[in-house]
Amino acid sequence: MMSNKTALITGATGGLGKEFVKVFAGNGINLILVGRNPQKLQTLRNSVQKRYGIKVNSIAVDFTNDDAAETIYNETKKLGVQVDYLVNNAGLGGQGTFLERSFDQDINMAKVNMMVPTKLMKLFLPDMVNRNAGRVLNVSSSAALIPGPLQAEYYATKAYFTSLSNAVWYELKDTDVSVTALMPGAMDTGFAKAGGLTDTKMFANGVSPKKVAEEGYEAMLKGKMNVFAGLPGWQRPFVGLMPMMPKKATMGFVASQQSTNK
Ligand SMILES: NC(=O)c1ccc[n+]([C@@H]2O[C@H](COP(=O)([O-])OP(=O)(O)OC[C@H]3O[C@@H](n4cnc5c(N)ncnc54)[C@H](OP(=O)(O)O)[C@@H]3O)[C@@H](O)[C@H]2O)c1
């Protein structure tokens, strides 16, 4: 089943990103893969093209570069490709207390998790609104719902991302353009290793990102505002009850889950 639509996926060579690639490609949607590593992108591009017979382009860019979002937007214009689906998936965590982590680490995380995706929305949404067609899928996290001691900044970046996504979803509600916030629980991807979180209770039973990508894709197509996906057993009721729970107790639990002394 081929389509003439194109999805741009950031963090395409990561754990959840690769699953998004399979879901979109499996639905015949052409792809623009965005990542940091040109070799990884090329390998993924070749295998996806071969397996699914779709058009695949790639853009190598590090989101800590100041002009990352503009580079991506300008490259898509040069390619002459219309982006119908923007998947803001790239992101990173980082274990440690606020004082243990450096301000450079904070800035880099803010760029990757907040500033670049925000700028990508600023650049691509006007084109979608002009066409009155388009979908944005923002990969936030169930971490958006509470403050997260031992990953304070990560939780704050995801709270920002969900809040921004929901407000823009509302502003666009009378159009056929939507912004969906996807909020997974702990997944078995490269995320824990990249953020120094492998030795924590939180990541002892991370779920496969496959179902998360599928549920995110379906919710995005329907123009849903929020979707929670891939929450393992104990996280499901916890997330539902979160707003009613005392914040200090919740933070104590999160801290215990993110402590490296398993
Ligand atoms: N895994 C979880 O438990 C979990 C839970 C909730 C939400 N999430 C969210 O899910 C999304 C995908 O993460 P994942 O679980 O698939 O982790 P992952 O396997 O580590 O993938 C993260 C992706 O982000 C990209 N990235 C990181 N820093 C970047 C930078 N400076 N510039 C450009 N790209 C950068 C990585 O690029 P490279 O391939 O070049 O390294 C990678 O493709 C993230 O937004 C994350 O916050 C993850």
Side-chain angles (χ1 to χ4, degrees):
M1 174 196 20
M2 296 295 289
S3 98
N4 56 359
K5 303 256 194 242
T6 299
L8 185 146
I9 303 175
T10 70
T13 57
L16 181 58
K18 276 190 193 155
E19 296 300 331
F20 278 130
V21 167
K22 287 185 209 158
V23 174
F24 281 89
N27 283 287
I29 296 166
N30 299 318
L31 294 172
I32 303 175
L33 311 174
V34 178
R36 276 181 297 189
N37 183 316
Q39 272 76 45
K40 277 195 204 169
L41 284 170
Q42 190 58 47
T43 308
L44 183 61
R45 189 176 163 177
N46 292 343
S47 73
V48 172
Q49 241 159 2
K50 205 165 151 189
R51 173 151 182 214
Y52 298 97
I54 53 165
K55 285 184 216 140
V56 188
N57 284 291
S58 60
I59 302 170
V61 59
D62 191 317
F63 285 13
T64 58
N65 296 343
D66 284 339
D67 57 354
E70 289 83 351
T71 301
I72 294 168
Y73 184 73
N74 293 338
E75 282 297 316
T76 64
K77 293 286 163 194
K78 270 192 223 154
L79 290 167
V81 178
Q82 172 181 303
V83 173
D84 302 288
Y85 308 110
L86 167 64
V87 184
N88 277 315
N89 165 68
L92 75 156
Q95 205 272 353
T97 65
F98 181 70
L99 292 184
E100 279 164 354
R101 293 178 53 79
S102 72
F103 190 58
D104 282 347
Q105 288 177 308
D106 293 344
I107 291 287
N108 284 343
M109 191 190 286
K111 284 181 178 168
V112 180
N113 293 9
M114 298 194 294
M115 299 331 296
V116 173
T118 301
K119 190 72 192 271
L120 288 174
M121 286 167 68
K122 275 273 194 243
L123 293 168
F124 284 103
L125 274 174
D127 296 343
M128 292 182 181
V129 171
N130 284 339
R131 298 193 299 267
N132 195 31
R135 294 282 181 266
V136 176
L137 180 60
N138 283 340
V139 182
S140 181
S141 167
S142 50
L145 301 174
I146 38 163
L150 298 182
Q151 268 212 102
E153 199 205 0
Y154 178 70
Y155 280 56
T157 65
K158 293 302 186 180
Y160 164 90
F161 206 26
T162 293
S163 177
L164 178 83
S165 304
N166 290 175
V168 180
W169 178 92
Y170 186 90
E171 289 172 1
L172 296 175
K173 71 180 168 42
D174 297 328
T175 73
D176 201 7
V177 178
S178 56
V179 177
T180 300
L182 170 62
M183 285 175 277
M187 294 181 291
D188 186 13
T189 64
F191 180 89
K193 189 163 179 237
L197 288 147
T198 40
D199 188 25
T200 61
K201 283 184 189 153
M202 172 103 38
F203 284 91
N205 297 303
V207 302
S208 153
K210 183 175 184 291
K211 201 153 177 282
V212 174
E214 289 165 357
E215 288 177 16
Y217 174 79
E218 291 301 331
M220 177 205 75
L221 284 188
K222 288 180 187 145
K224 292 213 165 150
M225 185 176 74
N226 281 328
V227 53
F228 290 93
L231 292 167
W234 66 266
Q235 284 188 22
R236 201 172 286 273
F238 190 68
V239 163
L241 293 169
M242 202 94 73
M244 284 163 276
M245 287 161 78
K247 201 178 254 186
K248 285 180 195 164
T250 317
M251 288 198 288
F253 180 70
V254 171
S256 73
Q257 292 292 312
Q258 298 194 137
S259 160
T260 46
N261 311 312
K262 240 192 215 178

